[in-house]
Amino acid sequence: MKGTIEEAKATLGGEDFLTLLDFSPKEIQSLLESALVLKQQQKNGTFSEALKGKSLGMIFENASTRTRVSFEVGMTQLGGHALFLSPRDMQIGRGEPIKDTANVLSRYVDAIMIRTNSHETVEELAKYASVPVINALTDAYHPCQAMADLLTIYEHKNTLKGLKLAYIGDGNNVAHSLLAAGAKVGMDVTIASPAGYEVDQTIFNRAVEAAKETGAKLELTQDPAVAVSEADVIYTDVWASMGYEQEQNERLQLFADYQVNETLVASAKEDYLFLHCLPAHRGEEVSGEVIDSVHSAVYDQAENRLHAQKAILLSLLSEK
């Protein structure tokens, strides 16, 4: 494994970080190796000044715990600085065109991280910004979360290729990014969602095409029992993501058979790993018995947002 901060730098072909589908399997592996090195350095109390003098502008249209704290702390630990930017306090919240915001911020900061509702927004921001843009969550993808997920699975299973991950629940941005992640690292992914709440077919088709390079098997089903059968990893998310809170009561009924509980996980592998991107609603998408069991790695997963994002920041902002 690479040991120094210079050796740990991942090299990405793209200038932005919008979706894992934009990167090669080799680039994804390079990011994971970098994250592992950075995590070990932190445990040793060693911090780099690789991003000294660099600034990250962080635009948040939605509430955040893990994303905001991990990016802000990550920049600090790499010697840089992060600025929290709320649309309520910016002109973008009063109708300033994204093009203008992108051009102006590019003259102030070295990179822009955005957590927004529409994926078109982050794509437009990246189009006009002259600095790297990082997708910290859109309605279509959550690539930073997926990198932390891969890092967590690798740490617990010592491999990624050939594993089976079962995602149970809404076919949302997390599900989309897990499909992309599996396709890039050769991990089989099965998504089980109720009718009408499946993943986006275009995104699924893109992931299937990408999976041809690694041999990953990607599948969709409406039967959660089929998905978790012999699974190495079981993953779920809230049934009503941000922006869909008004559908909470309706979804509680529609998703009732999709709860990850002790009955469902019985058909998974004996040493299965449970993941959840948090926040979790115990008693809804997952039972307390599962999320608080020895199989659960949700806090490792949350911590790994920091290390994975430091690897992303280092790859985009350090001198090539």
Side-chain angles (χ1 to χ4, degrees):
M1 179 186 294
K2 304 178 182 71
T4 68
I5 196 70
E6 288 298 322
E7 293 171 328
K9 290 179 187 176
T11 301
L12 300 182
E15 296 180 351
D16 303 303
F17 194 81
L18 307 187
T19 167
L20 298 190
L21 292 173
D22 294 336
F23 302 104
S24 68
K26 184 177 180 179
E27 288 171 328
I28 300 298
Q29 180 62 35
S30 180
L31 278 174
L32 291 172
E33 291 178 1
S34 176
L36 286 168
V37 172
L38 291 165
K39 185 172 184 177
Q40 186 59 52
Q41 288 179 342
Q42 179 171 322
K43 287 183 177 180
N44 295 338
T46 304
F47 296 97
S48 165
E49 292 290 304
L51 300 186
K52 184 176 181 180
K54 303 285 188 179
S55 293
L56 172 70
M58 306 189 302
I59 303 174
F60 284 92
E61 289 187 356
N62 296 308
S64 170
T65 298
R66 282 150 290 275
T67 299
R68 178 178 176 180
V69 175
S70 56
F71 266 109
E72 194 161 336
V73 171
M75 279 298 290
T76 300
Q77 291 183 352
L78 290 171
H81 176 68
L83 302 89
F84 174 76
L85 304 171
S86 168
R88 293 185 298 274
D89 305 319
M90 299 173 63
Q91 296 300 334
I92 193 173
R94 299 178 63 244
E96 180 175 68
I98 294 173
K99 175 181 179 180
D100 292 349
T101 297
N103 276 289
V104 170
L105 286 181
S106 294
R107 299 186 179 212
Y108 294 147
V109 300
D110 299 285
I112 303 169
M113 183 231 79
I114 184 168
R115 185 183 182 96
T116 183
N117 295 312
S118 171
H119 194 70
E120 286 71 24
T121 296
V122 75
E123 289 182 328
E124 187 176 359
L125 188 67
K127 176 181 178 181
Y128 292 109
S130 59
V131 297
V133 171
I134 300 171
N135 174 10
L137 179 145
T138 67
D139 57 351
Y141 297 103
H142 200 352
C144 294
Q145 178 65 57
M147 286 303 304
D149 299 338
L150 291 177
L151 182 60
T152 307
I153 295 167
Y154 181 80
E155 286 181 319
H156 283 263
K157 297 295 184 180
N158 297 313
T159 190
L160 292 169
K161 190 172 180 61
L163 295 180
K164 177 184 177 180
L165 182 148
Y167 173 90
I168 313 299
D170 188 27
N172 59 15
N173 48 11
V174 171
H176 292 157
S177 288
L178 288 171
L179 286 168
K184 292 297 181 178
V185 301
M187 179 174 62
D188 299 339
V189 178
T190 301
I191 307 287
S193 305
Y197 295 87
E198 300 95 343
V199 299
D200 180 90
Q201 192 63 46
T202 299
I203 292 176
F204 178 73
N205 291 342
R206 284 190 65 194
V208 169
E209 185 65 27
K212 292 179 180 179
E213 184 175 355
T214 62
K217 185 178 181 181
L218 308 181
E219 296 182 318
L220 305 179
T221 181
Q222 293 180 13
D223 190 340
V226 170
V228 303
S229 178
E230 292 301 303
D232 298 281
V233 183
I234 300 176
Y235 198 126
T236 192
D237 190 9
V238 294
W239 291 337
S241 300
M242 285 182 292
Y244 296 93
E245 291 88 351
Q246 73 280 5
E247 299 179 11
Q248 178 71 17
N249 291 333
E250 178 184 358
R251 290 185 179 221
L252 283 175
Q253 299 179 30
L254 291 171
F255 284 75
D257 294 333
Y258 289 78
Q259 183 186 81
V260 177
N261 51 41
E262 289 183 304
T263 299
L264 182 64
V265 302
S267 60
K269 289 186 178 176
E270 188 174 345
D271 63 345
Y272 81 90
L273 187 70
F274 175 75
L275 298 179
H276 191 304
C277 55
L278 301 181
H281 297 163
R282 288 168 173 78
E284 292 183 15
E285 74 273 6
V286 60
S287 68
E289 289 78 10
V290 171
I291 194 172
D292 296 319
S293 72
V294 296
H295 295 277
S296 178
V298 297
Y299 299 131
D300 292 341
Q301 182 185 7
E303 177 193 343
N304 281 336
R305 288 292 302 278
L306 171 63
H307 310 300
Q309 285 157 193
K310 285 169 68 176
I312 295 167
L313 290 166
L314 188 64
S315 69
L316 294 174
L317 290 177
S318 61
E319 298 300 325
K320 301 297 184 183

